[in-house]
């Protein structure tokens, strides 16, 4: 029996609102039966109004996920709450108890076995026992710097090294994003803001490295994520929100490495700054054949994350129970280690 | 219990030999326990010698797949025999009877539900009953013009139209390939060879269209594959095997369309000719965001097919039983139709 997918939105920040608007306005066969947020100004509102639509959708925003799940019996919950696996896992207890599948944009949840191995194992066990599938995904981590290169390696007979570059023109993004990368700051201000934690590099480079290494069966010795660096404007550059003078900061860049035997076998290179031209997402595979795959201009992050979350909902509902990663949904890649098979009872 | 994967090679033509050499020389954890071919000069030889290696591998080439399966009890058989699903299915009866999983480079087998819907349903039932997983794959169909674009659509919130182009420099390929695309012929010879079936376009465009349409849930009204056309040299061009004069044929091009409501929503454009520069594999997505993804130079077909077959062996062994397609291994894509979920017993 096929029927509409029933969804609860947990978290109505900017990303949660974008996802909700997209599902309400543009998707068929999937509908909201509930929504949850902690901010007093949203609780009690109709979901349509809460996300800035003209019409109502007939779903009130609640404050207690457990109660909402119990009252609405959804197939899946979309969690857009925090970037940290520890916080997200705690929140997921309500979904596991209610036997509701989960898809989340929590960056660390895309490979929680790295940042929180004990918690990941604990919640994996709880999820399996409850028959609940949990997946962290998004455009990055979740696609551009991990799944896309993973899939490309499937058509290589040998992969020696991977280099993945994202070079984003930040002037096309939202103002908070441009602020977060330090656009318009002096070098001194950038340093100070970094220390104060007001500027962060890209969140998720560790998780992308781990996803690639797990798919290719490459046992990494070390995961190195360097500190974000300022990208300095060599000429004035402007966005709709910021005017950057020569010598000021126009954005950030950051590199990360997956290391085996002292060799950086995976290099991730992330840069987001005003006026990057050309902007692109590139995968370079040193292997057989040698591959250079480029998406240009670069993939738009907001559209990409909304797309990944919504497009993958049916796959998560169908997936086996447990704390999953994208490698459980995409099973094609180069196999770097010794191959083996699990001896099943069927023969 | 994990142990080495035991493989039987069925078919020792050029592609079968390439796959065998790659597995024997470059892969660990997977080993041949048997081989089958119908040509009298190969039967009885050691597999190593049969594929042109210096050393022996201790496996004799047999002529009867059923007997070889019975004697060697492999986990999986690699079928590199024909391009036609009808012929391949008949040969697969031995594997199904012996409960041996199958991966095959048969082009039509990559989506047999198009060319042979009744046989595909029949053998799917037989395979399920026997607990056997069967997959047709390769670089194309199987990856470049179907799986690669399918995966890219996963990060789009809207996909209106897809255009996928493969522009291959044939001068880097084997001589038989260059001959097959008509290199060095006059226009008149090309026409005659086309009529006589000595020149074929790319095999598998129908299957690539169907794989994409199935993944995106786009119900195609028509699948149109145009006849291959000669690409005429506007200047002299040479390969290690052919000298092509101005006005002669340097290769072929071919287009195919997936049509909904009179609109060609998927366009495949294939060209292989001497000296194509730049050569590339491009995916264009008319959607949100608009995406242009290019691999350049183009992916090498022989390496690619060997890679896909060998890298996917563990996934096929793990996959559910039945006549599968690449969409069963790669579950991420844009969802074009109404979403729905299957109501399981778990809630």
């Amino acid at each position: 029996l096929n029927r509409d997918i029933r969804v609860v939105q947990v978290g109505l920040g900017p990303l949660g609102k974008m996802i909700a608007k997209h599902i309400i306005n543009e998707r068929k066969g999937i509908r909201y039966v509930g929504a949850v947020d902690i901010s007093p100004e949203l609780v009690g509102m109709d979901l349509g109004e809460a996300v800035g639509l003209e019409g109502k959708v007939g779903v009130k925003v609640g404050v207690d996920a457990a109660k909402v799940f119990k009252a609405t019996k959804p197939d899946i919950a979309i969690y857009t709450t925090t970037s940290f696996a520890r916080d997200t896992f705690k929140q997921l207890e309500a979904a596991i108890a209610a036997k509701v599948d989960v898809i989340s944009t929590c960056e660390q949840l895309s490979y929680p076995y790295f940042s929180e191995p004990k918690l990941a194992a604990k919640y994996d066990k709880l999820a399996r026992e409850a028959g609940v599938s949990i997946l962290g995904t998004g455009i990055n981590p979740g696609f551009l710097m991990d799944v896309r290169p993973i899939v490309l390696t499937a058509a290589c007979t040998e992969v020696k090294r991977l280099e993945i570059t994202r070079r984003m023109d930040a002037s096309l993004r939202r103002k908070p994003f441009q602020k977060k990368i330090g656009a318009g700051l002096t070098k001194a201000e950038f340093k100070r803001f970094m220390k104060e934690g007001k500027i962060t590099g890209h969140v998720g480079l560790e998780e992308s490295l781990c996803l690639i290494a797990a798919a290719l069966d490459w046992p990494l010795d070390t995961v190195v994520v360097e500190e974000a660096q300022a990208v300095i404007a060599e000429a004035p550059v402007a966005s709709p929100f910021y005017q950057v003078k020569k010598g000021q900061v126009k954005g950030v860049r950051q590199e990360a490495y997956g290391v085996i035997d002292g060799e950086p076998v995976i290099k991730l290179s992330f840069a987001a700054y005003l006026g990057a031209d050309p902007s692109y997402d590139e995968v370079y595979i040193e292997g057989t054949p040698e591959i250079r795959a480029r998406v240009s201009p670069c993939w738009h992050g907001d559209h990409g994350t909304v797309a990944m979350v919504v497009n993958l909902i049916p796959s998560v509902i169908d997936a086996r129970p447990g704390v999953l990663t994208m490698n459980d949904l995409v099973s094609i890649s180069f196999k770097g280690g010794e191959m083996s098979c699990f001896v099943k009872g069927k023969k």
Side-chain angles (χ1 to χ4, degrees), chain A residues 249-326:
Chain A
V249 176
K250 62 178 176 179
V252 294
R253 63 183 174 79
Q254 191 172 17
E255 292 183 350
Y257 302 89
V259 181
I260 299 178
D261 290 340
E263 292 292 321
V265 292
I266 312 171
K267 176 181 177 182
L268 305 184
S269 184
F270 178 90
Y273 54 91
L274 304 193
D277 182 27
S279 74
Y280 56 85
D281 286 286
E282 186 171 86
V283 176
Y284 169 71
I285 303 175
E286 185 186 318
T288 309
E290 186 183 29
I291 293 297
R292 201 171 287 278
R294 180 180 278 218
V295 174
S296 187
C298 76
W299 211 293
H300 194 288
D302 289 342
H303 290 310
T305 290
V306 172
M308 289 294 289
V309 168
V310 179
N311 287 329
L312 266 54
I313 285 174
S315 301
V316 173
I317 293 175
D318 282 350
R320 67 165 176 81
V323 174
L324 309 177
T325 75
M326 285 300 294

Coordinates of all heavy atoms in Angstrom, one line a residue, chain A residues 249-326:
Chain A
V249 N 39.5 41.6 4.2 CA 39.2 40.2 4.1 C 38.0 40.1 3.2 O 37.0 40.8 3.3 CB 38.8 39.6 5.5 CG1 38.4 38.2 5.3 CG2 40.1 39.7 6.4
K250 N 38.0 39.2 2.2 CA 36.9 38.9 1.3 C 36.3 37.6 1.6 O 35.3 37.2 0.9 CB 37.2 39.1 -0.1 CG 38.3 38.2 -0.7 CD 38.5 38.5 -2.2 CE 39.6 37.7 -2.8 NZ 39.8 37.9 -4.2
G251 N 36.9 36.8 2.5 CA 36.3 35.5 2.8 C 37.3 34.6 3.4 O 38.4 35.0 3.9
V252 N 37.0 33.3 3.4 CA 37.9 32.3 4.1 C 38.3 31.2 3.2 O 37.6 30.9 2.2 CB 37.2 31.6 5.3 CG1 37.0 32.6 6.4 CG2 36.0 30.9 4.9
R253 N 39.4 30.5 3.5 CA 39.8 29.3 2.9 C 40.3 28.3 4.0 O 40.7 28.7 5.0 CB 40.8 29.5 1.8 CG 42.1 30.0 2.3 CD 43.1 30.3 1.2 NE 44.3 30.9 1.7 CZ 45.3 30.3 2.4 NH1 45.2 29.0 2.5 NH2 46.3 30.9 2.8
Q254 N 40.2 27.0 3.7 CA 40.5 26.0 4.7 C 40.8 24.7 4.0 O 40.2 24.4 3.0 CB 39.3 25.8 5.6 CG 39.6 25.0 6.9 CD 38.4 25.0 7.8 OE1 37.3 25.4 7.4 NE2 38.7 24.7 9.1
E255 N 41.8 24.0 4.6 CA 42.2 22.8 4.0 C 42.2 21.7 5.0 O 42.3 21.9 6.2 CB 43.6 22.9 3.4 CG 43.6 23.8 2.2 CD 44.9 23.9 1.5 OE1 45.9 23.4 2.0 OE2 44.9 24.5 0.4
A256 N 41.9 20.4 4.5 CA 41.9 19.3 5.4 C 42.5 18.1 4.7 O 42.4 18.0 3.4 CB 40.4 19.0 5.8
Y257 N 43.0 17.2 5.5 CA 43.8 16.1 4.9 C 43.4 14.8 5.6 O 43.3 14.7 6.8 CB 45.3 16.3 5.0 CG 45.8 17.5 4.4 CD1 45.8 18.7 5.1 CD2 46.2 17.5 3.0 CE1 46.3 19.9 4.5 CE2 46.6 18.7 2.4 CZ 46.7 19.9 3.2 OH 47.1 21.0 2.6
G258 N 43.3 13.7 4.8 CA 43.2 12.4 5.3 C 44.6 11.7 5.0 O 45.0 11.7 3.9
V259 N 45.2 11.2 6.1 CA 46.6 10.8 5.9 C 46.8 9.3 6.2 O 46.2 8.8 7.2 CB 47.5 11.6 6.9 CG1 49.0 11.2 6.8 CG2 47.3 13.1 6.7
I260 N 47.5 8.6 5.3 CA 47.9 7.2 5.5 C 49.4 7.1 5.3 O 49.9 7.6 4.3 CB 47.2 6.3 4.5 CG1 45.6 6.3 4.7 CG2 47.7 4.8 4.7 CD1 44.9 5.5 3.7
D261 N 50.1 6.6 6.3 CA 51.5 6.4 6.2 C 52.2 7.7 5.9 O 53.1 7.7 5.0 CB 51.9 5.3 5.2 CG 51.5 3.9 5.7 OD1 51.3 3.7 6.9 OD2 51.4 3.1 4.8
G262 N 51.8 8.8 6.5 CA 52.4 10.1 6.2 C 52.0 10.8 4.9 O 52.4 11.9 4.7
E263 N 51.3 10.1 4.1 CA 50.9 10.6 2.8 C 49.4 11.2 2.9 O 48.5 10.5 3.3 CB 50.9 9.5 1.7 CG 52.3 9.0 1.3 CD 53.1 10.1 0.7 OE1 52.5 10.8 -0.2 OE2 54.3 10.2 1.0
P264 N 49.3 12.4 2.4 CA 47.9 13.0 2.4 C 47.1 12.4 1.2 O 47.1 13.0 0.1 CB 48.1 14.5 2.3 CG 49.4 14.6 1.6 CD 50.3 13.4 1.9
V265 N 46.5 11.3 1.4 CA 45.8 10.6 0.3 C 44.5 11.3 -0.1 O 43.9 11.1 -1.2 CB 45.6 9.1 0.6 CG1 46.9 8.4 0.6 CG2 44.8 8.9 1.9
I266 N 43.9 12.0 0.8 CA 42.7 12.8 0.5 C 43.0 14.3 0.9 O 43.4 14.5 2.1 CB 41.4 12.4 1.2 CG1 41.3 10.9 1.1 CG2 40.2 13.1 0.7 CD1 40.1 10.3 2.0
K267 N 42.8 15.2 0.0 CA 42.9 16.6 0.3 C 41.6 17.3 0.0 O 41.1 17.2 -1.1 CB 44.1 17.3 -0.5 CG 44.2 18.8 -0.2 CD 45.3 19.4 -1.1 CE 45.3 20.9 -0.9 NZ 46.4 21.6 -1.7
L268 N 41.1 18.0 1.0 CA 39.9 18.8 0.8 C 40.3 20.3 0.9 O 41.0 20.7 1.8 CB 38.8 18.5 1.9 CG 38.4 17.1 2.0 CD1 37.3 17.0 3.1 CD2 37.9 16.5 0.7
S269 N 39.9 21.0 -0.1 CA 40.3 22.4 -0.2 C 39.0 23.3 -0.3 O 38.3 23.2 -1.4 CB 41.3 22.6 -1.3 OG 41.7 24.0 -1.4
F270 N 38.7 24.0 0.7 CA 37.4 24.8 0.7 C 37.8 26.3 0.7 O 38.6 26.7 1.5 CB 36.6 24.4 2.0 CG 35.4 25.2 2.1 CD1 34.2 24.7 1.6 CD2 35.3 26.4 2.8 CE1 33.0 25.4 1.7 CE2 34.1 27.1 2.9 CZ 33.0 26.6 2.4
A271 N 37.1 27.0 -0.1 CA 37.3 28.5 -0.1 C 35.9 29.1 -0.4 O 35.2 28.7 -1.3 CB 38.3 28.9 -1.1
A272 N 35.6 30.2 0.3 CA 34.3 30.9 0.1 C 34.7 32.4 0.2 O 35.1 32.8 1.3 CB 33.2 30.5 1.0
Y273 N 34.6 33.1 -0.9 CA 34.9 34.6 -0.8 C 34.1 35.3 -1.9 O 33.6 34.8 -2.8 CB 36.4 34.8 -0.9 CG 37.1 34.2 -2.0 CD1 37.3 35.0 -3.2 CD2 37.7 33.0 -2.0 CE1 38.0 34.5 -4.3 CE2 38.4 32.4 -3.1 CZ 38.5 33.2 -4.2 OH 39.2 32.7 -5.3
L274 N 34.0 36.6 -1.6 CA 33.3 37.5 -2.6 C 34.0 37.5 -3.9 O 35.2 37.7 -3.9 CB 33.1 38.9 -2.0 CG 32.5 39.1 -0.6 CD1 32.1 40.5 -0.4 CD2 31.2 38.2 -0.5
G275 N 33.3 37.3 -5.0 CA 33.8 37.5 -6.3 C 34.7 36.3 -6.8 O 35.4 36.5 -7.8
A276 N 34.7 35.2 -6.2 CA 35.5 34.0 -6.7 C 35.0 33.8 -8.2 O 33.9 33.5 -8.4 CB 35.2 32.8 -5.8
D277 N 36.0 33.8 -9.1 CA 35.7 33.7 -10.5 C 36.9 33.0 -11.2 O 37.9 33.6 -11.2 CB 35.4 35.0 -11.1 CG 35.0 34.9 -12.6 OD1 34.5 33.8 -12.9 OD2 35.2 35.9 -13.3
P278 N 36.8 31.8 -11.8 CA 35.5 31.0 -11.8 C 35.3 30.4 -10.4 O 36.2 30.1 -9.7 CB 35.8 30.0 -12.8 CG 37.3 29.7 -12.7 CD 37.9 31.1 -12.5
S279 N 34.0 30.2 -10.1 CA 33.7 29.4 -8.9 C 33.5 28.0 -9.4 O 33.0 27.8 -10.6 CB 32.4 29.9 -8.2 OG 31.3 29.6 -9.0
Y280 N 33.8 27.0 -8.6 CA 33.6 25.6 -9.1 C 33.7 24.6 -8.0 O 34.2 25.0 -6.9 CB 34.7 25.3 -10.2 CG 36.1 25.5 -9.7 CD1 36.8 24.5 -9.0 CD2 36.8 26.7 -10.0 CE1 38.1 24.7 -8.6 CE2 38.1 26.9 -9.6 CZ 38.8 25.9 -8.9 OH 40.1 26.0 -8.5
D281 N 33.3 23.4 -8.3 CA 33.5 22.3 -7.4 C 34.2 21.3 -8.2 O 33.7 20.8 -9.3 CB 32.1 21.7 -7.0 CG 31.5 22.5 -5.9 OD1 31.9 22.5 -4.8 OD2 30.5 23.3 -6.3
E282 N 35.4 20.9 -7.8 CA 36.2 20.0 -8.6 C 36.7 18.8 -7.9 O 37.0 18.9 -6.7 CB 37.5 20.7 -9.2 CG 38.3 19.9 -10.2 CD 39.4 20.6 -10.9 OE1 40.5 20.7 -10.3 OE2 39.1 21.1 -12.0
V283 N 36.6 17.6 -8.6 CA 37.2 16.4 -8.0 C 38.3 16.0 -8.9 O 38.2 15.9 -10.1 CB 36.1 15.3 -8.1 CG1 36.8 13.9 -7.6 CG2 34.9 15.6 -7.2
Y284 N 39.5 15.8 -8.3 CA 40.7 15.3 -9.1 C 41.0 14.0 -8.5 O 41.2 13.8 -7.3 CB 41.9 16.3 -9.0 CG 43.1 15.6 -9.5 CD1 43.3 15.4 -10.9 CD2 44.1 15.2 -8.6 CE1 44.4 14.8 -11.4 CE2 45.3 14.6 -9.1 CZ 45.4 14.4 -10.5 OH 46.5 13.8 -11.0
I285 N 41.1 13.0 -9.4 CA 41.4 11.6 -9.0 C 42.8 11.3 -9.6 O 42.9 11.2 -10.8 CB 40.4 10.6 -9.4 CG1 39.0 10.9 -8.8 CG2 40.8 9.2 -9.0 CD1 37.9 10.0 -9.3
E286 N 43.8 11.1 -8.8 CA 45.0 10.5 -9.3 C 44.9 9.0 -9.3 O 44.8 8.4 -8.2 CB 46.2 11.0 -8.4 CG 47.6 10.5 -8.9 CD 48.7 10.8 -7.9 OE1 48.7 11.9 -7.3 OE2 49.6 10.0 -7.7
G287 N 44.8 8.4 -10.4 CA 44.5 7.0 -10.5 C 44.4 6.6 -12.0 O 45.0 7.2 -12.8
T288 N 43.7 5.5 -12.2 CA 43.5 5.0 -13.5 C 42.0 4.8 -13.8 O 41.3 4.0 -13.1 CB 44.1 3.6 -13.7 OG1 45.5 3.6 -13.2 CG2 44.1 3.1 -15.1
P289 N 41.4 5.6 -14.8 CA 42.1 6.7 -15.4 C 42.2 7.9 -14.5 O 41.6 7.9 -13.4 CB 41.1 7.0 -16.5 CG 39.8 6.6 -16.1 CD 40.0 5.4 -15.2
E290 N 43.1 8.8 -14.8 CA 43.2 10.1 -14.1 C 41.9 10.9 -14.5 O 41.6 11.0 -15.6 CB 44.4 10.8 -14.6 CG 44.7 12.1 -13.8 CD 45.9 12.8 -14.4 OE1 46.2 12.7 -15.6 OE2 46.6 13.5 -13.6
I291 N 41.3 11.5 -13.4 CA 40.0 12.1 -13.7 C 40.0 13.5 -13.1 O 40.4 13.8 -12.0 CB 38.8 11.3 -13.0 CG1 38.7 10.0 -13.7 CG2 37.5 12.1 -13.1 CD1 38.3 10.0 -15.2
R292 N 39.5 14.5 -13.9 CA 39.3 15.8 -13.5 C 37.8 16.2 -13.8 O 37.4 16.2 -14.9 CB 40.2 16.8 -14.1 CG 40.4 18.1 -13.4 CD 41.5 18.9 -14.0 NE 42.8 18.4 -13.7 CZ 43.5 18.7 -12.6 NH1 43.0 19.4 -11.6 NH2 44.8 18.2 -12.5
A293 N 37.0 16.3 -12.8 CA 35.6 16.5 -12.9 C 35.2 17.8 -12.3 O 35.4 18.0 -11.1 CB 34.8 15.4 -12.3
R294 N 34.6 18.7 -13.0 CA 34.4 20.1 -12.5 C 32.9 20.5 -12.8 O 32.4 20.3 -13.9 CB 35.3 21.1 -13.2 CG 35.1 22.5 -12.8 CD 36.1 23.4 -13.5 NE 37.4 23.4 -12.9 CZ 38.2 24.5 -12.8 NH1 37.7 25.7 -13.2 NH2 39.4 24.4 -12.2
V295 N 32.3 21.0 -11.7 CA 31.0 21.6 -11.8 C 31.3 23.1 -11.7 O 31.8 23.6 -10.7 CB 30.0 21.2 -10.7 CG1 28.7 22.0 -10.7 CG2 29.8 19.7 -10.8
S296 N 30.9 23.9 -12.7 CA 31.2 25.3 -12.7 C 30.0 26.0 -13.4 O 29.6 25.6 -14.5 CB 32.5 25.6 -13.4 OG 32.8 27.0 -13.2
P297 N 29.4 27.1 -12.8 CA 29.8 27.6 -11.5 C 29.5 26.6 -10.4 O 28.9 25.6 -10.6 CB 28.9 28.9 -11.4 CG 27.7 28.6 -12.3 CD 28.3 27.8 -13.4
C298 N 30.0 27.0 -9.2 CA 29.9 26.1 -8.0 C 28.4 25.8 -7.7 O 27.5 26.6 -8.0 CB 30.6 26.7 -6.8 SG 29.7 28.0 -6.0
W299 N 28.2 24.7 -7.0 CA 26.8 24.3 -6.6 C 26.3 25.3 -5.6 O 27.0 25.5 -4.6 CB 26.9 22.9 -6.1 CG 25.6 22.1 -6.3 CD1 24.4 22.4 -5.8 CD2 25.5 21.0 -7.2 NE1 23.5 21.5 -6.3 CE2 24.1 20.6 -7.2 CE3 26.3 20.3 -8.0 CZ2 23.6 19.5 -7.9 CZ3 25.9 19.2 -8.7 CH2 24.5 18.8 -8.7
H300 N 25.1 25.7 -5.7 CA 24.5 26.6 -4.7 C 24.1 25.8 -3.4 O 23.3 24.9 -3.5 CB 23.3 27.3 -5.2 CG 22.8 28.5 -4.4 ND1 22.2 28.3 -3.2 CD2 22.9 29.8 -4.6 CE1 22.0 29.5 -2.7 NE2 22.4 30.4 -3.5
G301 N 24.8 26.2 -2.3 CA 24.6 25.4 -1.1 C 23.2 25.3 -0.5 O 22.8 24.2 -0.1
D302 N 22.5 26.4 -0.5 CA 21.2 26.4 0.1 C 20.2 25.5 -0.7 O 19.6 24.6 -0.1 CB 20.6 27.8 0.2 CG 21.3 28.6 1.3 OD1 22.0 28.0 2.1 OD2 21.1 29.9 1.2
H303 N 20.2 25.7 -2.0 CA 19.4 24.8 -2.8 C 19.8 23.4 -2.7 O 19.0 22.5 -2.6 CB 19.5 25.2 -4.3 CG 18.9 26.5 -4.7 ND1 17.6 26.8 -4.4 CD2 19.4 27.5 -5.4 CE1 17.4 28.0 -4.9 NE2 18.4 28.5 -5.5
G304 N 21.1 23.1 -2.6 CA 21.6 21.8 -2.5 C 21.2 21.1 -1.3 O 20.8 19.9 -1.3
T305 N 21.3 21.8 -0.1 CA 20.9 21.1 1.1 C 19.4 20.8 1.2 O 19.0 19.7 1.6 CB 21.3 22.0 2.3 OG1 22.8 21.9 2.4 CG2 20.8 21.4 3.6
V306 N 18.6 21.8 0.8 CA 17.1 21.5 0.7 C 16.9 20.3 -0.2 O 16.1 19.4 0.2 CB 16.4 22.8 0.2 CG1 14.9 22.4 0.0 CG2 16.5 23.9 1.1
A307 N 17.5 20.2 -1.3 CA 17.3 19.2 -2.3 C 17.7 17.8 -1.7 O 16.9 16.8 -1.7 CB 18.1 19.4 -3.6
M308 N 18.9 17.7 -1.1 CA 19.3 16.5 -0.5 C 18.4 16.0 0.5 O 18.0 14.8 0.5 CB 20.7 16.6 0.1 CG 21.8 16.8 -0.9 SD 22.1 15.4 -2.0 CE 22.9 14.2 -0.8
V309 N 18.0 16.8 1.4 CA 17.1 16.4 2.5 C 15.7 15.9 1.9 O 15.3 14.8 2.3 CB 16.8 17.6 3.5 CG1 15.7 17.2 4.4 CG2 18.1 17.9 4.3
V310 N 15.2 16.6 1.0 CA 13.8 16.2 0.5 C 13.9 15.0 -0.4 O 13.1 14.1 -0.3 CB 13.1 17.4 -0.1 CG1 11.8 17.0 -0.6 CG2 13.0 18.6 0.9
N311 N 14.9 15.0 -1.3 CA 15.0 13.9 -2.3 C 15.3 12.6 -1.6 O 14.9 11.5 -2.1 CB 16.1 14.2 -3.3 CG 15.6 15.3 -4.4 OD1 14.4 15.4 -4.7 ND2 16.6 16.0 -4.9
L312 N 16.0 12.7 -0.5 CA 16.4 11.4 0.1 C 15.4 10.8 1.1 O 15.6 9.7 1.7 CB 17.7 11.6 0.9 CG 19.0 11.2 0.0 CD1 19.0 11.9 -1.3 CD2 20.2 11.5 0.7
I313 N 14.3 11.6 1.4 CA 13.3 11.1 2.3 C 12.8 9.7 2.0 O 12.8 8.8 2.9 CB 12.2 12.1 2.5 CG1 12.7 13.3 3.3 CG2 10.9 11.5 3.1 CD1 11.7 14.5 3.4
P314 N 12.4 9.4 0.8 CA 11.9 8.0 0.5 C 13.0 7.0 0.7 O 12.7 5.9 1.2 CB 11.5 8.1 -1.0 CG 11.3 9.5 -1.3 CD 12.3 10.3 -0.4
S315 N 14.3 7.3 0.4 CA 15.4 6.3 0.6 C 15.6 6.1 2.1 O 15.9 4.9 2.5 CB 16.7 6.9 0.0 OG 16.5 7.1 -1.4
V316 N 15.5 7.1 2.9 CA 15.7 6.9 4.4 C 14.6 6.0 4.9 O 14.8 5.1 5.7 CB 15.8 8.2 5.1 CG1 15.8 8.0 6.6 CG2 17.1 9.0 4.6
I317 N 13.3 6.3 4.5 CA 12.2 5.5 5.0 C 12.4 4.0 4.6 O 12.1 3.1 5.4 CB 10.9 6.0 4.4 CG1 10.6 7.4 5.0 CG2 9.7 5.1 4.7 CD1 9.4 8.1 4.5
D318 N 13.0 3.8 3.4 CA 13.2 2.4 2.9 C 14.4 1.7 3.5 O 14.6 0.5 3.5 CB 13.4 2.4 1.4 CG 12.0 2.5 0.7 OD1 11.0 2.4 1.3 OD2 12.1 2.7 -0.6
A319 N 15.3 2.6 4.0 CA 16.6 2.0 4.4 C 16.5 1.1 5.7 O 15.5 1.2 6.4 CB 17.6 3.2 4.7
R320 N 17.5 0.3 5.9 CA 17.6 -0.5 7.1 C 17.7 0.4 8.3 O 18.1 1.6 8.2 CB 18.8 -1.4 7.1 CG 20.1 -0.7 7.2 CD 21.3 -1.7 7.5 NE 22.5 -1.0 7.5 CZ 23.0 -0.3 8.5 NH1 22.3 -0.2 9.6 NH2 24.2 0.2 8.5
P321 N 17.3 -0.1 9.5 CA 17.4 0.7 10.7 C 18.8 0.9 11.2 O 19.7 0.2 10.8 CB 16.6 -0.2 11.8 CG 15.9 -1.2 11.0 CD 16.6 -1.4 9.8
G322 N 19.0 2.0 11.9 CA 20.4 2.3 12.5 C 20.8 3.7 12.2 O 20.0 4.5 11.6
V323 N 21.9 4.1 12.8 CA 22.5 5.4 12.5 C 23.3 5.2 11.2 O 24.4 4.7 11.3 CB 23.4 5.9 13.7 CG1 24.1 7.2 13.3 CG2 22.5 6.1 14.9
L324 N 22.7 5.6 10.1 CA 23.3 5.4 8.8 C 24.2 6.6 8.4 O 24.2 7.6 8.9 CB 22.2 5.2 7.8 CG 21.1 4.2 8.2 CD1 20.0 4.2 7.1 CD2 21.7 2.8 8.3
T325 N 25.0 6.3 7.3 CA 25.7 7.4 6.6 C 25.3 7.3 5.2 O 24.7 6.3 4.7 CB 27.2 7.3 6.8 OG1 27.7 6.2 5.9 CG2 27.6 7.0 8.2
M326 N 25.7 8.3 4.4 CA 25.5 8.3 3.0 C 26.0 7.0 2.3 O 25.5 6.6 1.3 CB 26.0 9.6 2.3 CG 25.2 10.8 2.6 SD 23.5 10.8 2.0 CE 23.8 10.6 0.2

